[in-house]
Amino acid sequence: MYELKIEDFNLDQIMGSGQCFRWKDAGNGRISITAYGKYMEAVQKGDVFVFSCGEDEFKNVWAEYFDMGTDYGRIKETADSSDTYLQEAIRFGSGIRILRQELWEMLVSFIISQNNNIPRIRKNIEAICEKYGEEIIGRGIDGQIRRAYAFPEPKILAAAKTAGLEGLGLGYRDKYIEAVSLWWMEQGFSDSRQAAGWLLEEGYEGAVSKLLQIKGIGRKVADCVCLFGLHCVEAFPMDTHMKKIEREHYRSGFPLEKYNGCAGIMQQYLFYYDLAGESGALESAAARE
DNA sequence: ACCCAGGCCATCT
DNA sequence: AGATGGCCTGGG
């Protein structure tokens, strides 16, 4: 157990922001998180957090994962004060951060996300982990043992091939997952960190063009992989929500030039705000105030 | 029943 | 270059 106060951090908001698909509401205010081959539970009360892991593990694994080295308060201050819609979005999702997740998992996850909805994306990923992931023994906030499944390594999915992925509800995306697994093996990456370094050799745009070579990855998925798997916060994934937001609030396009180097973070606030608007969460949040 | 979801690919003009 | 149709599946 490790307790800590953290600013600009909200578990529910991050879980609902569509950047991670393996966070779960575990009941009684607990959020379970599976990443980097580990399982953890977290509880939030205001800006105070209790984590089920020990201090060492938190500092070695989770602090970086939660992007604790970045001051989101300062980033939020750079938002145009006359942009009322963005200001509302930031206020609504003020605890959103861009997690530093594993590249390999992001690659597969955002391939699955295409032409798909979030509940089904979660279900698909869980099915892959249950079938091919190694079992993880973790500990809950109550100190009890919990079992979970890690996200399977590239070589496992490469060996599984399309045939092994059938029946998991992936639809036509199964062959794209096979393609990206084989691509990864051909590149001979030792791990996600090394692969990320290679992709970023020519910067963000270089990473995009390399990712676009992979079958099943188009511009939108490439930008999501850059933003969430490479932490290129200048990447600005243009999805159906952002197109709608631009139609309704930024008729000449979102002013990317104002956010040189961090437009992707603004995108997350806007995306989450729009998603919440659809689900009716906005009205209930307003009612609480 | 129906529509569509954080698109991509192939196949046209 | 830009526009269209098809695609697996299951939530709402």
Side-chain angles (χ1 to χ4, degrees):
Chain A
M1 296 271 276
Y2 184 56
E3 191 173 316
L4 187 63
K5 184 175 168 181
I6 308 175
E7 304 290 334
D8 307 306
F9 187 36
N10 185 291
L11 297 172
D12 289 321
Q13 290 172 6
I14 291 174
M15 182 166 61
S17 71
Q19 61 176 300
C20 51
F21 304 102
R22 303 204 68 207
W23 286 34
K24 280 186 206 156
D25 182 344
N28 298 325
R30 292 140 53 231
I31 305 282
S32 69
I33 300 171
T34 309
Y36 287 92
K38 298 192 182 303
Y39 173 93
M40 175 178 76
E41 288 176 8
V43 172
Q44 173 170 17
K45 289 193 196 85
D47 55 6
V48 176
F49 296 78
V50 178
F51 301 105
S52 67
C53 62
E55 180 173 353
D56 285 351
E57 181 179 305
F58 186 85
K59 289 182 172 168
N60 292 330
V61 180
W62 303 108
E64 188 184 343
Y65 175 77
F66 293 135
D67 199 22
M68 303 259 303
T70 301
D71 182 351
Y72 282 80
R74 194 182 52 74
I75 291 169
K76 287 186 276 188
E77 285 170 11
T78 68
D80 181 355
S81 57
S82 68
D83 185 338
T84 53
Y85 185 73
L86 179 59
Q87 291 294 340
E88 281 170 31
I90 289 175
R91 186 162 165 278
F92 183 75
S94 64
I96 290 175
R97 290 169 165 262
I98 310 292
L99 301 172
R100 292 184 184 264
Q101 304 185 79
E102 280 192 285
L103 172 63
W104 167 244
E105 182 175 334
M106 293 301 96
L107 222 29
V108 177
S109 297
F110 283 96
I111 285 173
I112 292 172
S113 82
Q114 68 184 69
N115 200 16
N116 209 341
N117 54 61
I118 292 176
R120 189 176 158 219
I121 297 166
R122 291 181 193 281
K123 206 171 154 186
N124 286 169
I125 292 171
E126 204 47 39
I128 291 177
C129 293
E130 278 176 16
K131 182 163 181 186
Y132 289 111
E134 280 190 41
E135 193 178 45
I136 300 170
I137 308 292
R139 217 166 266 285
I141 210 95
D142 57 4
Q144 299 298 308
I145 295 290
R146 298 273 195 286
R147 291 174 199 283
Y149 294 94
F151 193 87
E153 294 298 313
K155 65 181 175 198
I156 305 292
L157 293 188
K161 310 191 81 78
T162 305
L165 297 168
E166 281 170 2
L168 300 182
L170 298 164
Y172 60 85
R173 304 166 195 81
D174 54 7
K175 58 182 181 294
Y176 297 155
I177 295 173
E178 177 181 307
V180 76
S181 304
L182 296 175
W183 171 82
W184 187 284
M185 298 312 289
E186 279 167 21
Q187 296 293 325
F189 299 131
S190 56
D191 57 21
S192 281
R193 188 172 287 271
Q194 190 235 326
W198 178 79
L199 279 172
L200 285 170
E201 273 172 8
E202 287 88 37
Y204 159 57
E205 286 298 343
V208 170
S209 51
K210 284 171 179 170
L211 289 167
L212 289 176
Q213 308 297 313
I214 303 167
K215 196 173 177 60
I217 297 188
R219 182 65 202 230
K220 190 271 171 182
V221 171
D223 273 331
C224 284
V225 170
C226 286
L227 180 54
F228 303 120
L230 298 174
H231 209 82
C232 286
V233 290
E234 66 265 52
F236 192 84
M238 186 56 78
D239 51 38
T240 54
H241 289 271
M242 280 311 307
K243 285 176 188 163
K244 180 188 145 203
I245 290 167
E246 288 200 332
R247 269 199 314 279
E248 296 175 355
H249 302 280
Y250 302 94
R251 299 310 297 262
S252 49
F254 183 76
L256 293 170
E257 68 282 359
K258 288 183 186 167
Y259 305 103
N260 224 339
C262 69
I265 298 176
M266 301 302 163
Q267 193 268 7
Q268 272 296 281
Y269 295 123
L270 294 169
F271 178 85
Y272 178 68
Y273 192 47
D274 186 62
L275 213 56
E278 282 181 355
S279 70
L282 245 44
E283 289 74 8
S284 44
R288 277 199 298 275
E289 292 187 5

